[in-house]
Amino acid sequence: MKKYKMIFVDVDGTLCDVNHKVSEKNKKAIHKAIKNNIDIVLCSGRTPVSLITICEEIVDYNAKYFIGFNGASILKNNPITDVYKNTLDKDLSLEILERLEKHAKNDSDICIATYPKPEQIIMQNAPDNLGSIMDKEIEKINIKENISKHINTDVRKIMAVSENEKLQNIAKDFKSIIKDRYTMVFTSPYILEFVPINVNKGSAISFLCEHIGISLDDVVTFGDSFNDIEMIKLAGLGVAIENAVEELKECANYITKSDCNNSALEELVDYVIELNNK
């Protein structure tokens, strides 16, 4: 009889509500899963520093692993050590940033951001609320133009933040020059991200499961957006939250009745425990 041993949970739009908060019911659901021998792993586009902070807010939740930067970073907890990490090469990063700058030159509504370090973000044209949803432990540097001139190292990822129509135009511009050198993905309708080639949440989960000796058939994945598609497809049970994009729902084995504002993780944990007890 199949027993699900681990649930990989996306953060924004899945674990967190629209205000980027974890509900008390979802916090209790994490503890309930662990008591039933089901580990919870946060799997996000966020920096691992932010994920660690979220876990600290969930009292007595000693997470074993974190997956950040859309799969480019896997950390083991207690003590915090790298299991896997990947970056965008400096020259490639500058090429991407300089091309994005052309789009942002005459449109201050297009924000560009990148992470030279896991605990540092550099932003150009950042909206007031972008910094507010990020972890307080992350150093935020906001500049007005030419973000590429501030980069002298490999970076963890690059983001463009704006209205969806503008990001679609940017994505169309990049499609012809990617040539299998990096991955471009929408993590929400308003965020377009660039990460190392062949890096996604699915590849990170595959790596971690092999590393710790768990079959992909024994894991559950739970998400809401385009950057969750790979992990939904590979899991023994791929779950889309009710507020997920349609493309993700089409890949899922199960869709929750609850959305991110109504503690959907609680529903999922109860469902998985029920399956394990059959």
Side-chain angles (χ1 to χ4, degrees):
M1 181 175 61
K2 179 179 288 188
K3 290 279 188 179
Y4 294 109
K5 302 174 182 176
M6 189 170 283
I7 303 176
F8 291 89
V9 182
D10 169 59
V11 174
D12 295 295
T14 307
L15 174 68
C16 292
D17 61 23
V18 293
N19 295 313
H20 308 283
K21 302 294 184 183
V22 183
S23 71
E24 289 303 316
K25 287 184 177 180
N26 276 350
K27 291 178 181 180
K28 290 178 180 178
I30 288 173
H31 289 296
K32 185 174 183 178
I34 294 169
K35 287 180 181 178
N36 282 270
N37 300 311
I38 304 168
D39 286 324
I40 301 289
V41 179
L42 302 188
C43 188
S44 174
R46 289 198 192 196
T47 168
V49 175
S50 181
L51 300 183
I52 291 168
T53 300
I54 289 174
C55 290
E56 289 174 346
E57 293 173 357
I58 303 170
V59 179
D60 296 327
Y61 171 39
N62 295 312
K64 293 181 179 179
Y65 298 95
F66 311 95
I67 296 177
F69 291 127
N70 277 316
S73 177
I74 305 175
L75 292 182
K76 185 179 183 298
N77 200 12
N78 296 325
I80 295 173
T81 52
D82 284 311
V83 175
Y84 171 84
K85 63 179 179 179
N86 204 338
T87 58
L88 284 167
D89 172 81
K90 174 189 171 184
D91 291 339
L92 185 55
S93 301
L94 291 175
E95 177 186 326
I96 295 169
L97 288 168
E98 287 168 1
R99 197 173 188 91
L100 287 173
E101 285 171 353
K102 292 179 181 178
H103 288 274
K105 185 176 181 180
N106 298 314
D107 191 342
S108 60
D109 288 336
I110 297 174
C111 168
I112 308 169
T114 188
Y115 291 83
K117 305 174 185 177
E119 67 281 359
Q120 180 189 72
I121 183 171
I122 300 178
M123 303 175 285
Q124 175 180 325
N125 293 341
D128 293 338
N129 67 333
L130 184 61
S132 67
I133 68 174
M134 294 176 180
D135 184 75
K136 62 184 179 181
E137 300 299 327
I138 298 175
E139 179 189 7
K140 305 172 191 70
I141 300 173
N142 198 0
I143 61 174
K144 292 185 178 180
E145 60 183 4
N146 297 328
I147 190 173
S148 61
K149 295 185 181 299
H150 296 261
I151 303 303
N152 57 13
T153 184
D154 298 351
V155 304
R156 304 305 173 114
K157 71 172 182 178
I158 295 169
M159 301 189 299
V161 183
S162 190
E163 299 171 5
N164 183 256
E165 183 178 354
K166 295 178 181 181
L167 295 183
Q168 291 290 351
N169 289 333
I170 292 173
K172 187 181 299 184
D173 178 39
F174 272 88
K175 281 181 180 177
S176 63
I177 64 165
I178 291 176
K179 298 178 181 177
D180 297 328
R181 294 182 300 153
Y182 50 89
T183 297
M184 177 177 65
V185 63
F186 279 90
T187 58
S188 87
Y190 313 105
I191 302 176
L192 179 64
E193 298 198 1
F194 301 82
V195 295
I197 186 66
N198 295 326
V199 164
N200 56 63
K201 293 183 182 181
S203 64
I205 290 171
S206 294
F207 183 96
L208 180 58
C209 286
E210 183 175 354
H211 177 74
I212 61 181
I214 292 181
S215 169
L216 289 170
D217 288 336
D218 297 332
V219 305
V220 179
T221 53
F222 188 32
D224 77 304
S225 197
F226 299 100
N227 61 324
D228 298 316
I229 287 176
E230 289 87 358
M231 76 172 188
I232 294 296
K233 286 182 175 180
L234 65 77
L237 180 63
V239 181
I241 194 168
E242 192 278 334
N243 53 276
V245 296
E246 287 302 317
E247 290 85 345
L248 189 72
K249 289 181 177 180
E250 291 172 3
C251 303
N253 305 116
Y254 178 77
I255 301 171
T256 63
K257 298 177 181 62
S258 304
D259 62 16
C260 66
N261 290 323
N262 289 281
S263 305
L265 182 61
E266 178 187 43
E267 175 188 336
L268 176 59
V269 167
D270 287 341
Y271 178 68
V272 173
I273 291 173
E274 180 182 346
L275 291 176
N276 281 354
N277 290 334
K278 283 185 176 179

